[in-house]
Amino acid sequence: MQSRHSAAGKPGVRPIEKSLSAAGLRPALRHHRALLAIMLVLAISLAGATGYLIGNINTAQAAAVVNDTECVAAFSNKIATDNDLCSLVEQVNLQDQLNAEIQKNASLEDSLDAQQQEMDSLEVTILGALMANLDSKLVSRSGPTANAYRDEAKNLVELKYKLNKFKKTDKASEIDLTTYEAAIKKRLDYLPTIKPIPGYYDGYGNRRHPIYGYYHFHPGADVGAARGTQIKAAASGTVIASTYGGGSGYYVTIDHRNGFTTTYMHCSKLLVSAGEKVTKGEVIALVGNTGSSTTPHLHYEIRFYGEPLNPTRMIME
C-alpha cells in the first residue's frame, strides 16, 4: 500500500467512506439497520402481546374473583334457606309432638276419669255389700235376746278387727269406708264388750259369801285391782245411778238403751252423776273397798232387761 504524504511531507490518511465503499461495507450497514428495525418492531409487538395477555389474565382473574364471590353469596343464601327449612321442619315436628302429647294427656285424663268412675262405682258396690252384710249380722229390735246380742257383738268385733287390718294396707286409700266404720262403731258402742279395768274376771254364779259364809247366787264377776284404778264404762249410755248402796258401797249403773245395764260396785270415788251421758271407755269411777268387801276390787254386773248375765260372755275387746 502506498502512503500519501501531505504538503508538510508527512504521510496522509485515506478517507473512511472511501475505504468502506472500497471495502463494500455500506450495503451491510443498511441491512443491519433494517434488522434492528425489525427486531424493534417484534419487541414492540411482543410487548403488546404480553400486555394483552396480562390484561386478559387480570380480567379473567377479576372475573373469577367476582364469580367466586357470587358463588359464596349463593352458597350462603342456600345454607340460610336450608336452615330456614330445617327450622320450619323442626317447628312442625315439635308442634306435631306437642299435639300428640296433648292428645295423649287427654286420653290419659279420659282413662283416669273412667277409672275413677269405675272405682266410685266399685266403692259403692263394696260399701253396699258391706252394709248389707252388716245389716244381716245385727239383731232385730222386734225380738232381741241376750244370746242374739252376744252373737251380734261377736260379729261386730270381728268386722271391726278386719276393717282395722284393711286400713293398714295400700288398698285402703282407694275405698272410703268411713260410713261402714261409723255404722260398726255406732252399733258396737252400746254393747258392753270391753273390760272396765284390766284383769281376770271370775266369781259369777253360786258361791260362798266371802264375809258371811253362806251360799248364794253372785250376779257379777269380781276383779282385783289397786285402790284408785280407773274404771271405764263398758259401753255408751246414760247414768241412772251414782250413789252409795250398803253392801254395794259406792256404785254406778249405766243404761245402754238396748236392754243392757252395767253396774260397777265398791268404788272409792264416783266421777259421774245420775242423768249424765257417757261414752264407751270413759272413766266413770275409781276402784275401792267400800261396802261388803274384804279387799280393793271391782264387782262388775251386766243385766239384760234385769236378768244377770255372766260378764265374761260379753267381754270381747
Side-chain angles (χ1 to χ4, degrees), residues 119-189:
M119 286 298 298
D120 292 341
S121 177
L122 180 61
E123 180 178 325
V124 171
T125 302
I126 292 175
L127 184 58
L130 290 174
M131 294 301 292
N133 180 60
L134 177 61
D135 289 339
S136 69
K137 295 180 181 299
L138 300 181
V139 174
S140 172
R141 296 293 187 180
S142 60
T145 64
N147 287 333
Y149 271 119
R150 180 180 180 275
D151 291 339
E152 176 184 315
K154 183 177 180 181
N155 290 332
L156 290 173
V157 170
E158 184 178 358
L159 291 175
K160 179 182 177 181
Y161 170 77
K162 290 180 178 179
L163 179 60
N164 289 335
K165 188 175 181 180
F166 175 75
K167 287 168 65 176
K168 297 178 181 179
T169 66
D170 296 336
K171 297 293 184 181
S173 60
E174 300 177 4
I175 302 176
D176 184 7
L177 296 177
T178 305
T179 302
Y180 180 63
E181 183 177 15
I184 294 176
K185 183 179 183 300
K186 181 179 179 180
R187 189 75 173 191
L188 195 57
D189 275 351

Side-chain angles (χ1 to χ4, degrees), residues 38-290:
I38 292 171
M39 291 178 65
L40 181 60
V41 171
L42 290 174
I44 293 172
S45 299
L46 181 61
T50 302
Y52 176 76
L53 290 175
I54 293 173
N56 286 341
I57 291 172
N58 290 337
T59 302
Q61 290 178 345
V65 170
V66 171
N67 290 336
D68 289 344
T69 302
E70 292 177 353
C71 289
V72 170
F75 185 69
S76 298
N77 292 335
K78 182 66 169 57
I79 292 176
T81 301
D82 291 344
N83 289 337
D84 291 340
L85 290 175
C86 289
S87 298
L88 181 59
V89 171
E90 289 178 357
Q91 291 178 1
V92 172
N93 290 337
L94 289 175
Q95 186 62 46
D96 290 342
Q97 292 177 4
L98 179 60
N99 292 336
E101 289 298 325
I102 291 174
Q103 292 179 356
K104 183 178 179 181
N105 290 336
S107 299
L108 181 60
E109 289 178 359
D110 292 340
S111 176
L112 290 176
D113 290 340
Q115 290 180 8
Q116 185 60 48
Q117 291 177 0
E118 183 178 351
M119 286 298 298
D120 292 341
S121 177
L122 180 61
E123 180 178 325
V124 171
T125 302
I126 292 175
L127 184 58
L130 290 174
M131 294 301 292
N133 180 60
L134 177 61
D135 289 339
S136 69
K137 295 180 181 299
L138 300 181
V139 174
S140 172
R141 296 293 187 180
S142 60
T145 64
N147 287 333
Y149 271 119
R150 180 180 180 275
D151 291 339
E152 176 184 315
K154 183 177 180 181
N155 290 332
L156 290 173
V157 170
E158 184 178 358
L159 291 175
K160 179 182 177 181
Y161 170 77
K162 290 180 178 179
L163 179 60
N164 289 335
K165 188 175 181 180
F166 175 75
K167 287 168 65 176
K168 297 178 181 179
T169 66
D170 296 336
K171 297 293 184 181
S173 60
E174 300 177 4
I175 302 176
D176 184 7
L177 296 177
T178 305
T179 302
Y180 180 63
E181 183 177 15
I184 294 176
K185 183 179 183 300
K186 181 179 179 180
R187 189 75 173 191
L188 195 57
D189 275 351
Y190 291 90
L191 295 175
T193 57
I194 68 172
K195 290 181 176 182
I197 63 172
Y200 178 70
Y201 290 73
D202 70 347
Y204 177 83
N206 295 317
R207 71 170 191 173
R208 185 184 295 274
H209 195 283
I211 297 176
Y212 304 111
Y214 60 85
Y215 282 93
H216 73 113
F217 178 77
H218 187 245
D222 294 333
V223 54
R227 180 182 176 88
T229 300
Q230 294 182 339
I231 301 172
K232 299 179 181 180
S236 298
T238 303
V239 177
I240 59 175
S242 180
T243 187
Y244 186 87
S248 300
Y250 288 105
Y251 72 95
V252 175
T253 299
I254 302 173
D255 180 9
H256 302 293
R257 304 187 312 180
N258 50 12
F260 285 101
T261 60
T262 54
T263 301
Y264 313 80
M265 297 181 183
H266 308 302
C267 302
S268 63
K269 185 177 182 179
L270 306 178
L271 303 178
V272 292
S273 302
E276 187 175 342
K277 294 185 181 301
V278 295
T279 59
K280 191 172 191 174
E282 181 180 344
V283 177
I284 58 174
L286 303 179
V287 169
N289 191 31
T290 60

